[in-house]
mmCIF file of all heavy atoms in Angstrom:
data_model
loop_
_atom_site.group_PDB
_atom_site.id
_atom_site.type_symbol
_atom_site.label_atom_id
_atom_site.label_comp_id
_atom_site.label_asym_id
_atom_site.label_seq_id
_atom_site.Cartn_x
_atom_site.Cartn_y
_atom_site.Cartn_z
ATOM 1 N N THR D 160 114.867 98.290 91.407
ATOM 2 C CA THR D 160 114.906 99.256 90.316
ATOM 3 C C THR D 160 113.487 99.743 90.035
ATOM 4 O O THR D 160 112.506 99.134 90.477
ATOM 5 C CB THR D 160 115.467 98.624 89.031
ATOM 6 O OG1 THR D 160 114.560 97.601 88.570
ATOM 7 C CG2 THR D 160 116.833 97.999 89.294
ATOM 8 N N LYS D 161 113.385 100.816 89.267
ATOM 9 C CA LYS D 161 112.060 101.337 88.920
ATOM 10 C C LYS D 161 111.252 100.300 88.156
ATOM 11 O O LYS D 161 110.058 100.096 88.412
ATOM 12 C CB LYS D 161 112.188 102.613 88.099
ATOM 13 C CG LYS D 161 110.851 103.270 87.790
ATOM 14 C CD LYS D 161 110.967 104.256 86.661
ATOM 15 C CE LYS D 161 111.160 103.545 85.344
ATOM 16 N NZ LYS D 161 111.175 104.447 84.174
ATOM 17 N N ASP D 162 111.887 99.622 87.186
ATOM 18 C CA ASP D 162 111.172 98.616 86.397
ATOM 19 C C ASP D 162 110.680 97.474 87.276
ATOM 20 O O ASP D 162 109.588 96.932 87.050
ATOM 21 C CB ASP D 162 112.069 98.074 85.287
ATOM 22 C CG ASP D 162 112.285 99.083 84.169
ATOM 23 O OD1 ASP D 162 111.486 100.044 84.071
ATOM 24 O OD2 ASP D 162 113.251 98.925 83.397
ATOM 25 N N GLN D 163 111.463 97.088 88.266
ATOM 26 C CA GLN D 163 111.024 96.038 89.188
ATOM 27 C C GLN D 163 109.815 96.484 89.995
ATOM 28 O O GLN D 163 108.884 95.703 90.214
ATOM 29 C CB GLN D 163 112.173 95.653 90.124
ATOM 30 C CG GLN D 163 113.269 94.847 89.463
ATOM 31 C CD GLN D 163 114.431 94.592 90.398
ATOM 32 O OE1 GLN D 163 114.878 95.490 91.131
ATOM 33 N NE2 GLN D 163 114.958 93.376 90.389
ATOM 34 N N VAL D 164 109.825 97.731 90.432
ATOM 35 C CA VAL D 164 108.677 98.261 91.177
ATOM 36 C C VAL D 164 107.420 98.194 90.335
ATOM 37 O O VAL D 164 106.363 97.713 90.780
ATOM 38 C CB VAL D 164 108.933 99.718 91.623
ATOM 39 C CG1 VAL D 164 107.652 100.348 92.168
ATOM 40 C CG2 VAL D 164 110.024 99.770 92.675
ATOM 41 N N LEU D 165 107.515 98.664 89.100
ATOM 42 C CA LEU D 165 106.336 98.780 88.246
ATOM 43 C C LEU D 165 105.709 97.432 87.931
ATOM 44 O O LEU D 165 104.484 97.327 87.781
ATOM 45 C CB LEU D 165 106.704 99.503 86.947
ATOM 46 C CG LEU D 165 107.194 100.956 87.100
ATOM 47 C CD1 LEU D 165 107.498 101.557 85.740
ATOM 48 C CD2 LEU D 165 106.178 101.804 87.852
ATOM 49 N N THR D 166 106.514 96.393 87.819
ATOM 50 C CA THR D 166 105.967 95.074 87.478
ATOM 51 C C THR D 166 105.684 94.218 88.699
ATOM 52 O O THR D 166 104.622 93.591 88.798
ATOM 53 C CB THR D 166 106.919 94.323 86.544
ATOM 54 O OG1 THR D 166 108.192 94.150 87.189
ATOM 55 C CG2 THR D 166 107.114 95.082 85.240
ATOM 56 N N GLU D 167 106.611 94.192 89.650
ATOM 57 C CA GLU D 167 106.496 93.252 90.762
ATOM 58 C C GLU D 167 105.380 93.611 91.736
ATOM 59 O O GLU D 167 104.823 92.734 92.399
ATOM 60 C CB GLU D 167 107.837 93.151 91.498
ATOM 61 C CG GLU D 167 108.915 92.477 90.653
ATOM 62 C CD GLU D 167 110.247 92.361 91.380
ATOM 63 O OE1 GLU D 167 110.282 92.619 92.619
ATOM 64 O OE2 GLU D 167 111.243 92.021 90.720
ATOM 65 N N ARG D 168 105.011 94.876 91.829
ATOM 66 C CA ARG D 168 103.905 95.248 92.712
ATOM 67 C C ARG D 168 102.609 94.571 92.269
ATOM 68 O O ARG D 168 101.838 94.083 93.104
ATOM 69 C CB ARG D 168 103.723 96.771 92.737
ATOM 70 C CG ARG D 168 103.507 97.387 91.351
ATOM 71 C CD ARG D 168 103.370 98.898 91.404
ATOM 72 N NE ARG D 168 103.248 99.474 90.064
ATOM 73 C CZ ARG D 168 102.951 100.747 89.837
ATOM 74 N NH1 ARG D 168 102.738 101.561 90.852
ATOM 75 N NH2 ARG D 168 102.870 101.196 88.600
ATOM 76 N N HIS D 169 102.382 94.524 90.964
ATOM 77 C CA HIS D 169 101.174 93.885 90.441
ATOM 78 C C HIS D 169 101.247 92.367 90.572
ATOM 79 O O HIS D 169 100.251 91.717 90.908
ATOM 80 C CB HIS D 169 100.961 94.276 88.977
ATOM 81 C CG HIS D 169 100.807 95.745 88.764
ATOM 82 N ND1 HIS D 169 99.757 96.472 89.281
ATOM 83 C CD2 HIS D 169 101.589 96.635 88.092
ATOM 84 C CE1 HIS D 169 99.883 97.744 88.927
ATOM 85 N NE2 HIS D 169 100.992 97.859 88.203
ATOM 86 N N GLU D 170 102.409 91.814 90.289
ATOM 87 C CA GLU D 170 102.565 90.364 90.373
ATOM 88 C C GLU D 170 102.357 89.872 91.798
ATOM 89 O O GLU D 170 101.708 88.837 92.017
ATOM 90 C CB GLU D 170 103.934 89.966 89.840
ATOM 91 C CG GLU D 170 104.071 90.192 88.333
ATOM 92 C CD GLU D 170 105.484 89.978 87.830
ATOM 93 O OE1 GLU D 170 106.389 89.750 88.661
ATOM 94 O OE2 GLU D 170 105.685 90.050 86.596
ATOM 95 N N MET D 171 102.870 90.617 92.764
ATOM 96 C CA MET D 171 102.689 90.240 94.163
ATOM 97 C C MET D 171 101.221 90.335 94.563
ATOM 98 O O MET D 171 100.681 89.437 95.234
ATOM 99 C CB MET D 171 103.538 91.126 95.069
ATOM 100 C CG MET D 171 103.406 90.800 96.537
ATOM 101 S SD MET D 171 104.511 91.831 97.555
ATOM 102 C CE MET D 171 104.092 91.223 99.193
ATOM 103 N N PHE D 172 100.575 91.407 94.144
ATOM 104 C CA PHE D 172 99.163 91.607 94.480
ATOM 105 C C PHE D 172 98.302 90.477 93.923
ATOM 106 O O PHE D 172 97.481 89.879 94.637
ATOM 107 C CB PHE D 172 98.697 92.958 93.924
ATOM 108 C CG PHE D 172 97.239 93.247 94.127
ATOM 109 C CD1 PHE D 172 96.709 93.389 95.406
ATOM 110 C CD2 PHE D 172 96.384 93.385 93.040
ATOM 111 C CE1 PHE D 172 95.355 93.668 95.598
ATOM 112 C CE2 PHE D 172 95.041 93.669 93.212
ATOM 113 C CZ PHE D 172 94.525 93.799 94.493
ATOM 114 N N PHE D 173 98.480 90.159 92.661
ATOM 115 C CA PHE D 173 97.676 89.103 92.046
ATOM 116 C C PHE D 173 98.054 87.721 92.576
ATOM 117 O O PHE D 173 97.194 86.832 92.659
ATOM 118 C CB PHE D 173 97.819 89.154 90.525
ATOM 119 C CG PHE D 173 96.872 90.123 89.875
ATOM 120 C CD1 PHE D 173 97.261 91.434 89.635
ATOM 121 C CD2 PHE D 173 95.587 89.737 89.525
ATOM 122 C CE1 PHE D 173 96.394 92.335 89.043
ATOM 123 C CE2 PHE D 173 94.705 90.627 88.935
ATOM 124 C CZ PHE D 173 95.100 91.932 88.696
ATOM 125 N N ARG D 174 99.311 87.558 92.939
ATOM 126 C CA ARG D 174 99.729 86.286 93.519
ATOM 127 C C ARG D 174 98.980 86.015 94.815
ATOM 128 O O ARG D 174 98.592 84.883 95.100
ATOM 129 C CB ARG D 174 101.240 86.290 93.747
ATOM 130 C CG ARG D 174 101.828 84.931 94.076
ATOM 131 C CD ARG D 174 103.326 84.889 93.824
ATOM 132 N NE ARG D 174 104.034 85.946 94.516
ATOM 133 C CZ ARG D 174 104.692 86.933 93.883
ATOM 134 N NH1 ARG D 174 104.710 86.995 92.560
ATOM 135 N NH2 ARG D 174 105.323 87.860 94.586
ATOM 136 N N GLU D 175 98.759 87.052 95.597
ATOM 137 C CA GLU D 175 97.998 86.905 96.834
ATOM 138 C C GLU D 175 96.534 86.562 96.561
ATOM 139 O O GLU D 175 95.847 86.019 97.425
ATOM 140 C CB GLU D 175 98.087 88.183 97.673
ATOM 141 C CG GLU D 175 99.476 88.439 98.240
ATOM 142 C CD GLU D 175 99.501 89.617 99.203
ATOM 143 O OE1 GLU D 175 98.424 90.195 99.467
ATOM 144 O OE2 GLU D 175 100.601 89.947 99.701
ATOM 145 N N LEU D 176 96.071 86.893 95.349
ATOM 146 C CA LEU D 176 94.701 86.562 94.958
ATOM 147 C C LEU D 176 94.622 85.209 94.258
ATOM 148 O O LEU D 176 93.559 84.811 93.789
ATOM 149 C CB LEU D 176 94.149 87.648 94.029
ATOM 150 C CG LEU D 176 94.043 89.059 94.614
ATOM 151 C CD1 LEU D 176 93.587 90.050 93.556
ATOM 152 C CD2 LEU D 176 93.095 89.087 95.805
ATOM 153 N N GLY D 177 95.761 84.523 94.180
ATOM 154 C CA GLY D 177 95.796 83.218 93.547
ATOM 155 C C GLY D 177 95.889 83.270 92.039
ATOM 156 O O GLY D 177 95.581 82.290 91.354
ATOM 157 N N GLU D 178 96.321 84.421 91.513
ATOM 158 C CA GLU D 178 96.414 84.609 90.066
ATOM 159 C C GLU D 178 97.859 84.860 89.660
ATOM 160 O O GLU D 178 98.646 85.439 90.416
ATOM 161 C CB GLU D 178 95.560 85.798 89.622
ATOM 162 C CG GLU D 178 94.094 85.703 89.991
ATOM 163 C CD GLU D 178 93.321 84.816 89.039
ATOM 164 O OE1 GLU D 178 93.848 84.518 87.936
ATOM 165 O OE2 GLU D 178 92.199 84.412 89.375
ATOM 166 N N THR D 179 98.207 84.434 88.455
ATOM 167 C CA THR D 179 99.513 84.716 87.878
ATOM 168 C C THR D 179 99.331 85.656 86.702
ATOM 169 O O THR D 179 98.548 85.362 85.788
ATOM 170 C CB THR D 179 100.209 83.426 87.403
ATOM 171 O OG1 THR D 179 100.377 82.538 88.514
ATOM 172 C CG2 THR D 179 101.578 83.744 86.812
ATOM 173 N N VAL D 180 100.024 86.786 86.730
ATOM 174 C CA VAL D 180 99.886 87.774 85.660
ATOM 175 C C VAL D 180 101.263 88.217 85.180
ATOM 176 O O VAL D 180 102.278 88.017 85.856
ATOM 177 C CB VAL D 180 99.101 89.020 86.144
ATOM 178 C CG1 VAL D 180 97.692 88.645 86.564
ATOM 179 C CG2 VAL D 180 99.842 89.729 87.278
ATOM 180 N N ASP D 181 101.273 88.803 84.007
ATOM 181 C CA ASP D 181 102.465 89.467 83.492
ATOM 182 C C ASP D 181 102.439 90.890 84.037
ATOM 183 O O ASP D 181 101.604 91.710 83.639
ATOM 184 C CB ASP D 181 102.438 89.474 81.962
ATOM 185 C CG ASP D 181 103.699 90.087 81.347
ATOM 186 O OD1 ASP D 181 104.301 90.970 81.989
ATOM 187 O OD2 ASP D 181 104.050 89.689 80.234
ATOM 188 N N GLY D 182 103.336 91.184 84.955
ATOM 189 C CA GLY D 182 103.316 92.476 85.626
ATOM 190 C C GLY D 182 103.451 93.651 84.683
ATOM 191 O O GLY D 182 102.861 94.717 84.919
ATOM 192 N N SER D 183 104.201 93.492 83.601
ATOM 193 C CA SER D 183 104.390 94.603 82.663
ATOM 194 C C SER D 183 103.094 94.915 81.914
ATOM 195 O O SER D 183 102.784 96.084 81.654
ATOM 196 C CB SER D 183 105.518 94.291 81.678
ATOM 197 O OG SER D 183 105.216 93.153 80.903
ATOM 198 N N VAL D 184 102.333 93.874 81.582
ATOM 199 C CA VAL D 184 101.052 94.071 80.894
ATOM 200 C C VAL D 184 100.052 94.761 81.815
ATOM 201 O O VAL D 184 99.371 95.718 81.423
ATOM 202 C CB VAL D 184 100.477 92.723 80.403
ATOM 203 C CG1 VAL D 184 99.062 92.915 79.853
ATOM 204 C CG2 VAL D 184 101.384 92.105 79.355
ATOM 205 N N VAL D 185 99.983 94.289 83.050
ATOM 206 C CA VAL D 185 99.072 94.902 84.022
ATOM 207 C C VAL D 185 99.484 96.342 84.290
ATOM 208 O O VAL D 185 98.640 97.234 84.401
ATOM 209 C CB VAL D 185 99.043 94.094 85.334
ATOM 210 C CG1 VAL D 185 98.193 94.807 86.384
ATOM 211 C CG2 VAL D 185 98.495 92.695 85.093
ATOM 212 N N ASP D 186 100.782 96.589 84.358
ATOM 213 C CA ASP D 186 101.244 97.947 84.653
ATOM 214 C C ASP D 186 100.898 98.902 83.527
ATOM 215 O O ASP D 186 100.545 100.061 83.781
ATOM 216 C CB ASP D 186 102.752 97.954 84.903
ATOM 217 C CG ASP D 186 103.236 99.296 85.419
ATOM 218 O OD1 ASP D 186 102.787 99.701 86.519
ATOM 219 O OD2 ASP D 186 104.024 99.961 84.727
ATOM 220 N N ASP D 187 101.010 98.463 82.286
ATOM 221 C CA ASP D 187 100.619 99.322 81.157
ATOM 222 C C ASP D 187 99.143 99.710 81.274
ATOM 223 O O ASP D 187 98.766 100.866 81.061
ATOM 224 C CB ASP D 187 100.851 98.598 79.834
ATOM 225 C CG ASP D 187 102.321 98.553 79.450
ATOM 226 O OD1 ASP D 187 103.103 99.336 80.011
ATOM 227 O OD2 ASP D 187 102.675 97.722 78.588
ATOM 228 N N MET D 188 98.314 98.729 81.623
ATOM 229 C CA MET D 188 96.884 98.966 81.789
ATOM 230 C C MET D 188 96.633 99.938 82.943
ATOM 231 O O MET D 188 95.857 100.898 82.824
ATOM 232 C CB MET D 188 96.189 97.629 82.067
ATOM 233 C CG MET D 188 94.694 97.688 82.206
ATOM 234 S SD MET D 188 94.021 96.063 82.707
ATOM 235 C CE MET D 188 94.653 95.019 81.378
ATOM 236 N N TYR D 189 97.313 99.708 84.039
ATOM 237 C CA TYR D 189 97.156 100.505 85.255
ATOM 238 C C TYR D 189 97.593 101.949 85.025
ATOM 239 O O TYR D 189 96.873 102.898 85.347
ATOM 240 C CB TYR D 189 97.968 99.847 86.358
ATOM 241 C CG TYR D 189 98.054 100.606 87.659
ATOM 242 C CD1 TYR D 189 97.049 100.505 88.624
ATOM 243 C CD2 TYR D 189 99.167 101.393 87.954
ATOM 244 C CE1 TYR D 189 97.146 101.178 89.829
ATOM 245 C CE2 TYR D 189 99.269 102.072 89.159
ATOM 246 C CZ TYR D 189 98.259 101.961 90.088
ATOM 247 O OH TYR D 189 98.349 102.631 91.280
ATOM 248 N N ARG D 190 98.776 102.126 84.435
ATOM 249 C CA ARG D 190 99.302 103.478 84.258
ATOM 250 C C ARG D 190 98.539 104.263 83.193
ATOM 251 O O ARG D 190 98.479 105.490 83.246
ATOM 252 C CB ARG D 190 100.797 103.439 83.947
ATOM 253 C CG ARG D 190 101.639 103.090 85.161
ATOM 254 C CD ARG D 190 103.106 103.399 84.979
ATOM 255 N NE ARG D 190 103.736 102.561 83.983
ATOM 256 C CZ ARG D 190 104.131 102.974 82.804
ATOM 257 N NH1 ARG D 190 103.950 104.246 82.440
ATOM 258 N NH2 ARG D 190 104.720 102.150 81.956
ATOM 259 N N THR D 191 97.956 103.573 82.225
ATOM 260 C CA THR D 191 97.090 104.250 81.257
ATOM 261 C C THR D 191 95.903 104.882 81.966
ATOM 262 O O THR D 191 95.512 106.021 81.673
ATOM 263 C CB THR D 191 96.601 103.265 80.186
ATOM 264 O OG1 THR D 191 97.728 102.774 79.447
ATOM 265 C CG2 THR D 191 95.625 103.944 79.230
ATOM 266 N N GLN D 192 95.353 104.148 82.922
ATOM 267 C CA GLN D 192 94.225 104.675 83.697
ATOM 268 C C GLN D 192 94.665 105.815 84.621
ATOM 269 O O GLN D 192 93.940 106.808 84.782
ATOM 270 C CB GLN D 192 93.592 103.546 84.521
ATOM 271 C CG GLN D 192 92.913 102.483 83.692
ATOM 272 C CD GLN D 192 91.763 103.042 82.873
ATOM 273 O OE1 GLN D 192 90.881 103.694 83.407
ATOM 274 N NE2 GLN D 192 91.777 102.788 81.569
ATOM 275 N N ILE D 193 95.845 105.685 85.219
ATOM 276 C CA ILE D 193 96.370 106.760 86.073
ATOM 277 C C ILE D 193 96.546 108.036 85.255
ATOM 278 O O ILE D 193 96.184 109.142 85.695
ATOM 279 C CB ILE D 193 97.715 106.357 86.709
ATOM 280 C CG1 ILE D 193 97.523 105.234 87.739
ATOM 281 C CG2 ILE D 193 98.394 107.564 87.349
ATOM 282 C CD1 ILE D 193 96.823 105.656 89.005
ATOM 283 N N ALA D 194 97.107 107.898 84.059
ATOM 284 C CA ALA D 194 97.324 109.064 83.210
ATOM 285 C C ALA D 194 96.004 109.713 82.814
ATOM 286 O O ALA D 194 95.902 110.943 82.717
ATOM 287 C CB ALA D 194 98.110 108.658 81.963
ATOM 288 N N GLU D 195 94.982 108.892 82.586
ATOM 289 C CA GLU D 195 93.685 109.409 82.146
ATOM 290 C C GLU D 195 92.912 110.078 83.279
ATOM 291 O O GLU D 195 92.251 111.100 83.073
ATOM 292 C CB GLU D 195 92.844 108.271 81.563
ATOM 293 C CG GLU D 195 91.483 108.709 81.056
ATOM 294 C CD GLU D 195 90.700 107.574 80.419
ATOM 295 O OE1 GLU D 195 91.324 106.550 80.075
ATOM 296 O OE2 GLU D 195 89.472 107.708 80.263
ATOM 297 N N HIS D 196 92.996 109.513 84.472
ATOM 298 C CA HIS D 196 92.180 110.000 85.589
ATOM 299 C C HIS D 196 92.988 110.725 86.666
ATOM 300 O O HIS D 196 92.408 111.186 87.652
ATOM 301 C CB HIS D 196 91.435 108.833 86.239
ATOM 302 C CG HIS D 196 90.514 108.111 85.314
ATOM 303 N ND1 HIS D 196 89.340 108.664 84.851
ATOM 304 C CD2 HIS D 196 90.591 106.874 84.742
ATOM 305 C CE1 HIS D 196 88.723 107.814 84.049
ATOM 306 N NE2 HIS D 196 89.462 106.722 83.965
ATOM 307 N N GLY D 197 94.289 110.835 86.483
ATOM 308 C CA GLY D 197 95.139 111.312 87.568
ATOM 309 C C GLY D 197 95.414 112.790 87.613
ATOM 310 O O GLY D 197 96.420 113.219 88.193
ATOM 311 N N HIS D 198 94.547 113.610 87.016
ATOM 312 C CA HIS D 198 94.797 115.051 86.995
ATOM 313 C C HIS D 198 93.877 115.835 87.942
ATOM 314 O O HIS D 198 93.865 117.059 87.917
ATOM 315 C CB HIS D 198 94.636 115.599 85.576
ATOM 316 C CG HIS D 198 93.293 115.311 84.972
ATOM 317 N ND1 HIS D 198 93.003 114.125 84.335
ATOM 318 C CD2 HIS D 198 92.165 116.059 84.902
ATOM 319 C CE1 HIS D 198 91.762 114.146 83.905
ATOM 320 N NE2 HIS D 198 91.221 115.321 84.237
ATOM 321 N N ARG D 199 93.155 115.132 88.787
ATOM 322 C CA ARG D 199 92.242 115.803 89.728
ATOM 323 C C ARG D 199 93.037 116.485 90.843
ATOM 324 O O ARG D 199 93.857 115.866 91.516
ATOM 325 C CB ARG D 199 91.284 114.781 90.319
ATOM 326 C CG ARG D 199 90.418 115.314 91.444
ATOM 327 C CD ARG D 199 89.542 114.211 92.007
ATOM 328 N NE ARG D 199 88.909 114.598 93.247
ATOM 329 C CZ ARG D 199 88.163 113.781 93.981
ATOM 330 N NH1 ARG D 199 87.946 112.540 93.585
ATOM 331 N NH2 ARG D 199 87.622 114.204 95.108
ATOM 332 N N LEU D 200 92.797 117.777 91.014
ATOM 333 C CA LEU D 200 93.480 118.535 92.064
ATOM 334 C C LEU D 200 92.693 118.461 93.367
ATOM 335 O O LEU D 200 91.467 118.338 93.361
ATOM 336 C CB LEU D 200 93.620 120.008 91.671
ATOM 337 C CG LEU D 200 94.745 120.383 90.713
ATOM 338 C CD1 LEU D 200 94.400 119.972 89.281
ATOM 339 C CD2 LEU D 200 95.030 121.879 90.783
ATOM 340 N N PHE D 201 93.401 118.558 94.465
ATOM 341 C CA PHE D 201 92.736 118.699 95.750
ATOM 342 C C PHE D 201 91.996 120.039 95.779
ATOM 343 O O PHE D 201 92.429 121.014 95.165
ATOM 344 C CB PHE D 201 93.734 118.637 96.907
ATOM 345 C CG PHE D 201 94.215 117.255 97.208
ATOM 346 C CD1 PHE D 201 95.529 116.889 96.943
ATOM 347 C CD2 PHE D 201 93.366 116.307 97.764
ATOM 348 C CE1 PHE D 201 95.983 115.614 97.219
ATOM 349 C CE2 PHE D 201 93.808 115.027 98.042
ATOM 350 C CZ PHE D 201 95.120 114.677 97.768
ATOM 351 N N GLU D 202 90.903 120.074 96.497
ATOM 352 C CA GLU D 202 90.104 121.286 96.587
ATOM 353 C C GLU D 202 90.951 122.451 97.104
ATOM 354 O O GLU D 202 91.636 122.336 98.119
ATOM 355 C CB GLU D 202 88.913 121.063 97.522
ATOM 356 C CG GLU D 202 87.979 122.255 97.612
ATOM 357 C CD GLU D 202 86.766 121.988 98.489
ATOM 358 O OE1 GLU D 202 86.614 120.842 98.969
ATOM 359 O OE2 GLU D 202 85.981 122.924 98.690
ATOM 360 N N GLY D 203 90.915 123.548 96.402
ATOM 361 C CA GLY D 203 91.643 124.750 96.799
ATOM 362 C C GLY D 203 93.083 124.791 96.329
ATOM 363 O O GLY D 203 93.736 125.844 96.441
ATOM 364 N N ALA D 204 93.594 123.679 95.783
ATOM 365 C CA ALA D 204 95.003 123.640 95.397
ATOM 366 C C ALA D 204 95.331 124.647 94.305
ATOM 367 O O ALA D 204 96.350 125.351 94.373
ATOM 368 C CB ALA D 204 95.384 122.232 94.951
ATOM 369 N N LEU D 205 94.475 124.748 93.300
ATOM 370 C CA LEU D 205 94.752 125.662 92.201
ATOM 371 C C LEU D 205 94.759 127.109 92.669
ATOM 372 O O LEU D 205 95.610 127.905 92.254
ATOM 373 C CB LEU D 205 93.720 125.481 91.087
ATOM 374 C CG LEU D 205 93.935 126.330 89.832
ATOM 375 C CD1 LEU D 205 95.305 126.058 89.223
ATOM 376 C CD2 LEU D 205 92.836 126.047 88.802
#
């Protein structure tokens, strides 16, 4: 499901780093940054 994607991707990534995280908390942090910085267009796109 979409919710599983949003949380489990982070949990798997951190698990490989030997860390345990709450995927929903990390995802909120991650998507806040995406929303803030994610409006850059490719050159010439506009």
